[in-house]
PDB file of all heavy atoms in Angstrom:
ATOM      1  N   GLN A1150      -2.569 -12.885 -29.553  1.00  0.00           N
ATOM      2  CA  GLN A1150      -3.954 -13.294 -29.760  1.00  0.00           C
ATOM      3  C   GLN A1150      -4.926 -12.140 -29.572  1.00  0.00           C
ATOM      4  O   GLN A1150      -5.917 -12.024 -30.307  1.00  0.00           O
ATOM      5  CB  GLN A1150      -4.299 -14.436 -28.809  1.00  0.00           C
ATOM      6  CG  GLN A1150      -3.531 -15.718 -29.087  1.00  0.00           C
ATOM      7  CD  GLN A1150      -3.907 -16.825 -28.132  1.00  0.00           C
ATOM      8  OE1 GLN A1150      -4.458 -16.579 -27.066  1.00  0.00           O
ATOM      9  NE2 GLN A1150      -3.604 -18.063 -28.498  1.00  0.00           N
ATOM     10  N   LEU A1151      -4.659 -11.268 -28.585  1.00  0.00           N
ATOM     11  CA  LEU A1151      -5.550 -10.132 -28.359  1.00  0.00           C
ATOM     12  C   LEU A1151      -5.538  -9.196 -29.552  1.00  0.00           C
ATOM     13  O   LEU A1151      -6.587  -8.713 -29.991  1.00  0.00           O
ATOM     14  CB  LEU A1151      -5.141  -9.383 -27.095  1.00  0.00           C
ATOM     15  CG  LEU A1151      -5.969  -8.135 -26.773  1.00  0.00           C
ATOM     16  CD1 LEU A1151      -7.434  -8.505 -26.589  1.00  0.00           C
ATOM     17  CD2 LEU A1151      -5.437  -7.438 -25.537  1.00  0.00           C
ATOM     18  N   SER A1152      -4.361  -8.942 -30.098  1.00  0.00           N
ATOM     19  CA  SER A1152      -4.250  -8.074 -31.276  1.00  0.00           C
ATOM     20  C   SER A1152      -5.059  -8.639 -32.436  1.00  0.00           C
ATOM     21  O   SER A1152      -5.810  -7.916 -33.104  1.00  0.00           O
ATOM     22  CB  SER A1152      -2.781  -7.927 -31.664  1.00  0.00           C
ATOM     23  OG  SER A1152      -2.654  -7.222 -32.888  1.00  0.00           O
ATOM     24  N   ASP A1153      -4.922  -9.942 -32.681  1.00  0.00           N
ATOM     25  CA  ASP A1153      -5.663 -10.574 -33.780  1.00  0.00           C
ATOM     26  C   ASP A1153      -7.170 -10.472 -33.556  1.00  0.00           C
ATOM     27  O   ASP A1153      -7.938 -10.223 -34.499  1.00  0.00           O
ATOM     28  CB  ASP A1153      -5.261 -12.048 -33.901  1.00  0.00           C
ATOM     29  CG  ASP A1153      -3.808 -12.218 -34.331  1.00  0.00           C
ATOM     30  OD1 ASP A1153      -3.241 -11.256 -34.892  1.00  0.00           O
ATOM     31  OD2 ASP A1153      -3.241 -13.304 -34.074  1.00  0.00           O
ATOM     32  N   ALA A1154      -7.610 -10.665 -32.290  1.00  0.00           N
ATOM     33  CA  ALA A1154      -9.038 -10.596 -31.983  1.00  0.00           C
ATOM     34  C   ALA A1154      -9.589  -9.190 -32.199  1.00  0.00           C
ATOM     35  O   ALA A1154     -10.687  -9.005 -32.739  1.00  0.00           O
ATOM     36  CB  ALA A1154      -9.278 -11.043 -30.543  1.00  0.00           C
ATOM     37  N   LEU A1155      -8.828  -8.173 -31.792  1.00  0.00           N
ATOM     38  CA  LEU A1155      -9.269  -6.788 -31.970  1.00  0.00           C
ATOM     39  C   LEU A1155      -9.409  -6.444 -33.449  1.00  0.00           C
ATOM     40  O   LEU A1155     -10.400  -5.815 -33.867  1.00  0.00           O
ATOM     41  CB  LEU A1155      -8.279  -5.837 -31.299  1.00  0.00           C
ATOM     42  CG  LEU A1155      -8.236  -5.864 -29.765  1.00  0.00           C
ATOM     43  CD1 LEU A1155      -7.087  -5.000 -29.258  1.00  0.00           C
ATOM     44  CD2 LEU A1155      -9.552  -5.384 -29.178  1.00  0.00           C
ATOM     45  N   LEU A1156      -8.456  -6.871 -34.233  1.00  0.00           N
ATOM     46  CA  LEU A1156      -8.503  -6.576 -35.665  1.00  0.00           C
ATOM     47  C   LEU A1156      -9.663  -7.303 -36.340  1.00  0.00           C
ATOM     48  O   LEU A1156     -10.322  -6.745 -37.238  1.00  0.00           O
ATOM     49  CB  LEU A1156      -7.177  -6.961 -36.319  1.00  0.00           C
ATOM     50  CG  LEU A1156      -5.960  -6.155 -35.859  1.00  0.00           C
ATOM     51  CD1 LEU A1156      -4.682  -6.701 -36.493  1.00  0.00           C
ATOM     52  CD2 LEU A1156      -6.128  -4.678 -36.211  1.00  0.00           C
ATOM     53  N   GLN A1157      -9.931  -8.544 -35.896  1.00  0.00           N
ATOM     54  CA  GLN A1157     -11.050  -9.287 -36.459  1.00  0.00           C
ATOM     55  C   GLN A1157     -12.380  -8.613 -36.122  1.00  0.00           C
ATOM     56  O   GLN A1157     -13.274  -8.518 -36.971  1.00  0.00           O
ATOM     57  CB  GLN A1157     -11.033 -10.723 -35.946  1.00  0.00           C
ATOM     58  CG  GLN A1157     -12.127 -11.601 -36.558  1.00  0.00           C
ATOM     59  CD  GLN A1157     -12.059 -13.033 -36.076  1.00  0.00           C
ATOM     60  OE1 GLN A1157     -11.286 -13.354 -35.175  1.00  0.00           O
ATOM     61  NE2 GLN A1157     -12.858 -13.900 -36.658  1.00  0.00           N
ATOM     62  N   LEU A1158     -12.523  -8.139 -34.886  1.00  0.00           N
ATOM     63  CA  LEU A1158     -13.743  -7.427 -34.504  1.00  0.00           C
ATOM     64  C   LEU A1158     -13.911  -6.156 -35.327  1.00  0.00           C
ATOM     65  O   LEU A1158     -15.009  -5.826 -35.778  1.00  0.00           O
ATOM     66  CB  LEU A1158     -13.699  -7.088 -33.014  1.00  0.00           C
ATOM     67  CG  LEU A1158     -13.978  -8.228 -32.042  1.00  0.00           C
ATOM     68  CD1 LEU A1158     -13.690  -7.787 -30.620  1.00  0.00           C
ATOM     69  CD2 LEU A1158     -15.417  -8.704 -32.165  1.00  0.00           C
ATOM     70  N   ARG A1159     -12.824  -5.430 -35.515  1.00  0.00           N
ATOM     71  CA  ARG A1159     -12.883  -4.196 -36.296  1.00  0.00           C
ATOM     72  C   ARG A1159     -13.343  -4.466 -37.717  1.00  0.00           C
ATOM     73  O   ARG A1159     -14.151  -3.709 -38.280  1.00  0.00           O
ATOM     74  CB  ARG A1159     -11.504  -3.543 -36.314  1.00  0.00           C
ATOM     75  CG  ARG A1159     -11.430  -2.227 -37.084  1.00  0.00           C
ATOM     76  CD  ARG A1159     -10.019  -1.922 -37.539  1.00  0.00           C
ATOM     77  NE  ARG A1159      -9.533  -2.973 -38.437  1.00  0.00           N
ATOM     78  CZ  ARG A1159      -8.281  -3.043 -38.880  1.00  0.00           C
ATOM     79  NH1 ARG A1159      -7.386  -2.150 -38.498  1.00  0.00           N
ATOM     80  NH2 ARG A1159      -7.916  -4.012 -39.704  1.00  0.00           N
ATOM     81  N   ASP A1160     -12.861  -5.557 -38.298  1.00  0.00           N
ATOM     82  CA  ASP A1160     -13.148  -5.832 -39.708  1.00  0.00           C
ATOM     83  C   ASP A1160     -14.502  -6.495 -39.918  1.00  0.00           C
ATOM     84  O   ASP A1160     -15.023  -6.489 -41.039  1.00  0.00           O
ATOM     85  CB  ASP A1160     -12.049  -6.733 -40.289  1.00  0.00           C
ATOM     86  CG  ASP A1160     -10.687  -6.038 -40.325  1.00  0.00           C
ATOM     87  OD1 ASP A1160     -10.669  -4.784 -40.320  1.00  0.00           O
ATOM     88  OD2 ASP A1160      -9.663  -6.745 -40.343  1.00  0.00           O
ATOM     89  N   THR A1161     -15.085  -7.080 -38.860  1.00  0.00           N
ATOM     90  CA  THR A1161     -16.350  -7.794 -39.031  1.00  0.00           C
ATOM     91  C   THR A1161     -17.552  -6.992 -38.524  1.00  0.00           C
ATOM     92  O   THR A1161     -18.459  -6.678 -39.290  1.00  0.00           O
ATOM     93  CB  THR A1161     -16.292  -9.160 -38.331  1.00  0.00           C
ATOM     94  OG1 THR A1161     -15.904  -8.972 -36.959  1.00  0.00           O
ATOM     95  CG2 THR A1161     -15.292 -10.081 -39.014  1.00  0.00           C
ATOM     96  N   VAL A1162     -17.555  -6.644 -37.256  1.00  0.00           N
ATOM     97  CA  VAL A1162     -18.724  -5.959 -36.692  1.00  0.00           C
ATOM     98  C   VAL A1162     -18.498  -4.467 -36.449  1.00  0.00           C
ATOM     99  O   VAL A1162     -19.448  -3.736 -36.190  1.00  0.00           O
ATOM    100  CB  VAL A1162     -19.158  -6.621 -35.364  1.00  0.00           C
ATOM    101  CG1 VAL A1162     -19.597  -8.045 -35.609  1.00  0.00           C
ATOM    102  CG2 VAL A1162     -18.026  -6.594 -34.345  1.00  0.00           C
ATOM    103  N   ASN A1163     -17.240  -4.031 -36.504  1.00  0.00           N
ATOM    104  CA  ASN A1163     -16.909  -2.609 -36.321  1.00  0.00           C
ATOM    105  C   ASN A1163     -17.611  -2.010 -35.101  1.00  0.00           C
ATOM    106  O   ASN A1163     -18.406  -1.083 -35.207  1.00  0.00           O
ATOM    107  CB  ASN A1163     -17.280  -1.818 -37.582  1.00  0.00           C
ATOM    108  CG  ASN A1163     -16.713  -0.405 -37.553  1.00  0.00           C
ATOM    109  OD1 ASN A1163     -15.695  -0.148 -36.903  1.00  0.00           O
ATOM    110  ND2 ASN A1163     -17.368   0.515 -38.237  1.00  0.00           N
ATOM    111  N   PRO A1164     -17.327  -2.503 -33.906  1.00  0.00           N
ATOM    112  CA  PRO A1164     -18.057  -2.040 -32.712  1.00  0.00           C
ATOM    113  C   PRO A1164     -17.640  -0.642 -32.278  1.00  0.00           C
ATOM    114  O   PRO A1164     -16.531  -0.183 -32.567  1.00  0.00           O
ATOM    115  CB  PRO A1164     -17.645  -3.076 -31.653  1.00  0.00           C
ATOM    116  CG  PRO A1164     -16.271  -3.500 -32.082  1.00  0.00           C
ATOM    117  CD  PRO A1164     -16.302  -3.504 -33.590  1.00  0.00           C
ATOM    118  N   ASP A1165     -18.540   0.030 -31.563  1.00  0.00           N
ATOM    119  CA  ASP A1165     -18.207   1.329 -30.982  1.00  0.00           C
ATOM    120  C   ASP A1165     -17.341   1.154 -29.740  1.00  0.00           C
ATOM    121  O   ASP A1165     -16.457   1.975 -29.466  1.00  0.00           O
ATOM    122  CB  ASP A1165     -19.491   2.084 -30.596  1.00  0.00           C
ATOM    123  CG  ASP A1165     -20.325   2.433 -31.811  1.00  0.00           C
ATOM    124  OD1 ASP A1165     -19.742   2.810 -32.838  1.00  0.00           O
ATOM    125  OD2 ASP A1165     -21.558   2.314 -31.729  1.00  0.00           O
ATOM    126  N   ARG A1166     -17.625   0.096 -28.979  1.00  0.00           N
ATOM    127  CA  ARG A1166     -16.869  -0.187 -27.765  1.00  0.00           C
ATOM    128  C   ARG A1166     -16.572  -1.675 -27.698  1.00  0.00           C
ATOM    129  O   ARG A1166     -17.379  -2.501 -28.144  1.00  0.00           O
ATOM    130  CB  ARG A1166     -17.670   0.207 -26.510  1.00  0.00           C
ATOM    131  CG  ARG A1166     -18.058   1.668 -26.455  1.00  0.00           C
ATOM    132  CD  ARG A1166     -16.958   2.497 -25.830  1.00  0.00           C
ATOM    133  NE  ARG A1166     -17.374   3.894 -25.686  1.00  0.00           N
ATOM    134  CZ  ARG A1166     -16.717   4.788 -24.970  1.00  0.00           C
ATOM    135  NH1 ARG A1166     -15.619   4.440 -24.333  1.00  0.00           N
ATOM    136  NH2 ARG A1166     -17.147   6.033 -24.891  1.00  0.00           N
ATOM    137  N   ILE A1167     -15.442  -2.030 -27.113  1.00  0.00           N
ATOM    138  CA  ILE A1167     -15.087  -3.420 -26.880  1.00  0.00           C
ATOM    139  C   ILE A1167     -14.811  -3.582 -25.396  1.00  0.00           C
ATOM    140  O   ILE A1167     -13.983  -2.866 -24.828  1.00  0.00           O
ATOM    141  CB  ILE A1167     -13.848  -3.841 -27.686  1.00  0.00           C
ATOM    142  CG1 ILE A1167     -14.105  -3.682 -29.192  1.00  0.00           C
ATOM    143  CG2 ILE A1167     -13.459  -5.289 -27.360  1.00  0.00           C
ATOM    144  CD1 ILE A1167     -12.872  -3.929 -30.044  1.00  0.00           C
ATOM    145  N   VAL A1168     -15.519  -4.504 -24.760  1.00  0.00           N
ATOM    146  CA  VAL A1168     -15.317  -4.782 -23.340  1.00  0.00           C
ATOM    147  C   VAL A1168     -14.650  -6.142 -23.219  1.00  0.00           C
ATOM    148  O   VAL A1168     -15.160  -7.138 -23.732  1.00  0.00           O
ATOM    149  CB  VAL A1168     -16.649  -4.765 -22.565  1.00  0.00           C
ATOM    150  CG1 VAL A1168     -16.401  -5.108 -21.100  1.00  0.00           C
ATOM    151  CG2 VAL A1168     -17.316  -3.400 -22.692  1.00  0.00           C
TER     152      VAL A1168
END
Side-chain angles (χ1 to χ4, degrees):
Q1150 294 180 341
L1151 178 60
S1152 173
D1153 294 340
L1155 291 173
L1156 295 175
Q1157 184 178 8
L1158 284 171
R1159 181 203 61 187
D1160 295 337
T1161 54
V1162 297
N1163 191 26
D1165 295 320
R1166 301 273 184 168
I1167 300 173
V1168 178

